[in-house]
Amino acid sequence: MPEKVNLADKIKKQLPAELVHFMQVGGEVAHNQGQSLYLVGGVVRDLLLGRTNLDLDLVVEGDAIKLAQQLTLSYPGKLTTHPRFNTASLKWDRWRVDLATARSETYLKLGALPTVCPSSIDSDLSRRDFTINAMAVGLNPDGYGELIDLYGGRCDLEHKLIRVLHQKSFSDDATRIWRGLRYQRRLGFQLEETTLSLLKRDIGMLATISGDRIRHELELVLKEEFPEKILLRADELNVLKWLHPSLKGNRWLAEKFQQARKLSATPPLELYLALLTYPLTAKENEQLISFLRLPKSLAQILRDSASIKAKLGLLSVPKLAPSRVYRLLYGYSPTAVIANMLASDSAVACRHIQLFLDKLRYIKPALSGQDLIKMGIPPSPTIKELLDKLHQAKLDGKVRSRKDEEELLRSFAPFNSPNPPA
Ligand code: ATP
């Protein structure tokens, strides 16, 4: 008989009282409905590791929506249901809990999402990625806190191992390759020996995964604490090249990611992605954008970054007039500008970009188009030209105050024409 482990104490100690109460009530309501409720996946793993995780994933043997609907009586909040999958999510105060109906999965087509049907907690656990993520905790009153560990997840946690549940795991779903690398780095674990050889064997299965799913995995990688370490490992194992053959996880990338974290403790995903794709040519960039089906705004950042990269030669010229620096960098997304500041080898270019980011981009003339009209210039394209000249003069420090600007303006045509404005 395997040793019985009860996590009730850990639950009480590690999770906020509101969530503990919710799980207890959930277990009671499930029991009254003749159903069984379990806490599953990452949160169980993290309970055992003593790591904070407030993402409660609950699994119901029976009908998750029926349980969630009953629970809204005690926890009035926002209930979202997906009848097709028989899942629900419940939000109240600052909490969110996901409830799914226990299901088994069959992979009919390589790389595609599986077909699912309702099942027991045991078969629900058998479809999971790694032993450490395939544990559950009973929440019904009879057996509250009891750990269900059918695959030795607790033992693998103790030995710091990432292990798949069966030989076909990566070929069933190659996104697990990225997931494995992510957990390995985050938890400081090793890929267990057989798992590592299966991963190497099945790397080619990444070709079966849609760009959307791979993009999702990449986003999760970039949200981790040290994404560069995952990318380095992904490169070593030839996983990264399935994103794009020209991508590199190397020391350069590691340095740039570290520098990005010096600018802000958690750099935005867009900045990391711009750095990761920095070495790509414009054509390769486009290939990656379309493969990953990047959203427009993100694609624009990568394109901006490549355009600025093409101008780095011009930005490396010493003693550029500030207005020239402004013109070279104006209109691009700030993230793309920052990526180039971090990635450029030229100290001069970096200084110019820094000047743009810190100062130049905020400088505007004091006079507006309306002011010029009040000064007697008829509304016309001339107004824009004059404002541009004022802007340039202000960027280059030739005017400082509003009075300076007015004086400068008077020195320009049309003020010097035979019929100056009033
Ligand atoms: P994290 O801490 O990164 O959120 P998590 O373990 O909660 O980790 P999720 O991606 O939220 O991860 O998934 C929840 C659970 O669903 C996992 O713990 C795992 O049991 C299961 N799971 C998720 N993705 C897969 C997959 N591709 N294959 C098999 N099981 C999966």
Side-chain angles (χ1 to χ4, degrees):
M1 267 286 272
E3 169 201 9
K4 274 201 170 177
V5 177
N6 193 297
L7 300 191
D9 280 349
K10 282 191 190 295
I11 290 176
K12 196 169 164 196
K13 258 195 221 137
Q14 290 181 42
L15 293 177
E18 292 94 324
L19 292 182
V20 178
H21 187 253
F22 177 86
M23 289 193 286
Q24 284 166 341
V25 173
E28 279 158 25
V29 174
H31 175 77
N32 292 338
Q33 290 182 334
Q35 313 206 76
S36 299
L37 180 66
Y38 302 89
L39 183 64
V40 290
V43 67
V44 178
R45 172 197 73 216
D46 289 338
L47 273 173
L48 286 161
L49 288 172
R51 292 171 70 99
T52 309
N53 184 344
L54 303 182
D55 286 340
L56 292 200
D57 281 325
L58 302 181
V59 164
V60 185
E61 265 177 338
D63 182 344
I65 293 183
K66 184 175 156 195
L67 176 62
Q69 280 166 341
Q70 181 74 28
L71 281 171
T72 51
L73 302 180
S74 316
Y75 292 88
K78 188 169 182 294
L79 174 69
T80 314
T81 61
H82 298 281
R84 217 179 116 214
F85 304 104
N86 207 343
T87 60
S89 80
L90 189 55
K91 284 187 200 159
W92 78 100
D93 300 341
R94 58 194 189 95
W95 311 109
R96 178 206 158 113
V97 173
D98 290 314
L99 294 105
T101 304
R103 64 183 202 250
S104 60
E105 293 182 344
T106 326
Y107 289 86
L108 296 174
K109 208 171 130 228
L110 288 180
L113 293 170
T115 30
V116 300
C117 60
S119 76
S120 64
I121 185 71
D122 288 7
S123 41
D124 189 284
L125 294 177
S126 73
R127 71 179 173 85
R128 292 184 182 255
D129 48 3
F130 304 109
T131 59
I132 58 167
N133 286 344
M135 292 180 277
V137 172
L139 298 178
N140 282 35
D142 49 339
Y144 179 87
E146 262 174 33
L147 181 69
I148 303 174
D149 178 14
L150 307 173
Y151 300 95
R154 201 164 68 102
C155 180
D156 283 341
L157 279 180
E158 271 161 25
H159 293 95
K160 298 180 180 280
L161 289 174
I162 310 284
R163 185 197 305 268
V164 284
L165 305 194
H166 56 86
Q167 301 259 327
K168 280 177 61 208
S169 186
F170 292 125
S171 58
D172 276 348
D173 178 357
T175 63
R176 292 172 187 164
I177 293 178
W178 278 106
R179 292 178 63 83
L181 298 184
R182 212 154 43 79
Y183 291 121
Q184 176 190 7
R185 168 50 52 186
R186 186 199 303 168
L187 304 174
F189 281 22
Q190 297 286 320
L191 288 165
E192 174 274 332
E193 215 179 304
T194 310
T195 300
L196 181 59
S197 15
L198 292 171
L199 183 151
K200 288 179 179 165
R201 185 195 71 184
D202 291 338
I203 276 182
M205 300 306 288
L206 281 165
T208 64
I209 307 293
S210 70
D212 279 327
R213 293 187 71 206
I214 292 282
R215 186 191 64 240
H216 178 65
E217 291 307 319
L218 180 62
E219 284 169 3
L220 293 176
V221 166
L222 297 178
K223 283 183 191 155
E224 293 285 329
E225 198 179 358
F226 300 110
E228 67 275 20
K229 297 190 175 167
I230 304 171
L231 295 167
L232 252 67
R233 185 79 175 121
D235 196 358
E236 270 167 23
L237 291 170
N238 286 328
V239 171
L240 191 59
K241 74 168 196 210
W242 288 95
L243 267 181
H244 192 286
S246 300
L247 288 178
K248 293 270 172 294
N250 53 18
R251 270 183 55 194
W252 181 89
L253 186 77
E255 255 173 45
K256 300 305 160 190
F257 274 33
Q258 282 157 20
Q259 288 169 9
R261 283 195 295 274
K262 285 193 186 134
L263 297 180
S264 110
T266 47
L269 181 149
E270 292 82 353
L271 179 57
Y272 276 150
L273 194 63
L275 290 170
L276 175 65
T277 55
Y278 198 78
L280 300 191
T281 63
K283 190 172 159 208
E284 291 169 336
N285 235 338
E286 290 305 321
Q287 289 165 344
L288 190 71
I289 288 170
S290 79
F291 169 55
L292 294 180
R293 304 197 335 132
L294 293 184
K296 261 197 188 149
S297 58
L298 197 46
Q300 193 55 47
I301 289 175
L302 301 197
R303 291 187 181 121
D304 281 358
S305 179
S307 307
I308 300 170
K309 186 169 116 183
K311 292 180 172 177
L312 284 179
L314 299 173
L315 283 159
S316 305
V317 174
K319 298 198 184 129
L320 276 185
S323 57
R324 174 92 177 116
V325 174
Y326 182 87
R327 273 200 306 278
L328 287 169
L329 293 173
Y330 164 71
Y332 292 119
S333 94
T335 309
V337 179
I338 294 170
N340 273 273
M341 184 180 72
L342 295 174
S344 164
D345 294 332
S346 154
V348 178
C350 286
R351 245 194 354 261
H352 285 142
I353 298 176
Q354 183 93 57
L355 177 72
F356 173 82
L357 286 169
D358 292 349
K359 229 173 119 189
L360 302 183
R361 65 174 161 156
Y362 302 114
I363 293 179
K364 300 278 172 281
L367 294 176
S368 67
Q370 281 306 319
D371 293 326
L372 267 62
I373 291 170
K374 274 190 210 145
M375 288 168 80
I377 302 175
S380 68
T382 313
I383 299 244
K384 166 132 190 8
E385 283 163 30
L386 291 172
L387 284 174
D388 283 348
K389 283 187 181 170
L390 282 181
H391 191 195
Q392 181 174 336
K394 185 130 183 197
L395 285 163
D396 291 337
K398 292 183 180 151
V399 291
R400 290 183 195 284
S401 63
R402 191 181 169 96
K403 206 165 143 256
D404 291 348
E405 286 184 27
E406 285 168 356
E407 268 169 28
L408 181 68
L409 208 56
R410 291 210 171 82
S411 72
F412 292 151
F415 285 92
N416 291 331
S417 69
N419 303 309

